[in-house]
Amino acid sequence: MPVLPGAEPYRHEGGEVAVLLCHGFTGSPQSLRPWARYLAGQGLTVSLPLLPGHGTRWEDMAPTGWQDWYAEVDRELRALRRRCARVFVAGLSMGGALALRLAARHGEGVDGVVVVNPANKVHGLSAYALPVARHIVRTTKGITSDIAREGVLESGYDRVPLHSAHSLRTFLRRVDGELPQVTQPLLLLHSVHDHVVPPADSARVLSRVSSTDVTEILLEQSYHVATLDHDADRIFEESYAFIARIAPSVGKEGTAVGG
């Protein structure tokens, strides 16, 4: 199937400091592309993969699960480690959960973590019905484009496959149990008004990680997809400052692949 406009993966070969960006559930690299381009412009090596089952049509997502999504970013991290001296992981929403699991599992192989509105739990009574409901109903309404900025849309699915939602719930419960293993420096940015992931998820992450170098930033002008919203520039600048503080040897050369 053809990839949705802007949903193509993005890669930039920069200096010896790398960032792996992870997009969200039913979303695509489009939601993080401006962030990726900004970091690439600062000389970092950047990888923004397209997760399996995403970026085409929801029917392609239905057979996939968290093992597929995590395996993709795990491969990307290992590839970055082979050619870069320092590697950071970052993500939005479910992508934040993916980044946190990478940090928990890879330990010293990850130098720092940046998460924006990280998902920690599938909320609501419907979450408890997923194990049964997914065998009766195929999809529910989509969760993309929760953006305060007028005229800006997120490229993603207008339907959520319930099999995939059930897998997400399983994954988030697993990640929650692994959060104490996250010891790296952490930058967590979250929106005050988020209609997809409540602030309680960020509070839970902050209370569970073992990191001692922790920075929390509130985003007061954006909704869930803050990387495309009014606070986008702040996210970009704060994340680069965080990376440069921990790994000041950022490069200044490289080429982009994937637009």
Side-chain angles (χ1 to χ4, degrees), residues 31-49:
S31 62
L32 302 186
R33 192 173 300 273
W35 191 7
R37 286 174 171 166
Y38 175 88
L39 295 174
Q42 306 306 310
L44 280 72
T45 291
V46 180
S47 175
L48 171 53

Side-chain angles (χ1 to χ4, degrees), residues 30 75 78 88 90 129 168 197:
Q30 179 259 355
R75 281 192 295 269
R78 294 175 188 276
F88 293 77
L168 172 65
V197 173

Side-chain angles (χ1 to χ4, degrees), residues 206-228:
L206 291 171
S207 72
R208 296 276 290 162
V209 297
S210 299
S211 306
T212 56
D213 181 345
V214 177
T215 304
E216 178 186 10
I217 295 177
L218 296 182
L219 307 173
E220 298 182 352
Q221 303 180 63
S222 302
Y223 294 161
H224 183 61
V225 192
T227 50
L228 296 178

Side-chain angles (χ1 to χ4, degrees), residues 23-35 92-93 116-117 143-149 152-156 189-191 193-197 219 221-233 235-236:
H23 70 75
F25 181 70
T26 73
S28 78
Q30 179 259 355
S31 62
L32 302 186
R33 192 173 300 273
W35 191 7
L92 167 69
S93 193
V116 179
N117 293 325
I143 56 173
T144 59
S145 292
D146 185 36
I147 301 171
R149 188 176 176 184
V152 179
L153 296 175
E154 179 187 11
S155 178
L189 309 98
H190 66 95
S191 301
H193 304 289
D194 186 327
H195 306 99
V196 178
V197 173
L219 307 173
Q221 303 180 63
S222 302
Y223 294 161
H224 183 61
V225 192
T227 50
L228 296 178
D229 217 327
H230 294 295
D231 292 295
D233 288 344
I235 294 170
F236 305 164

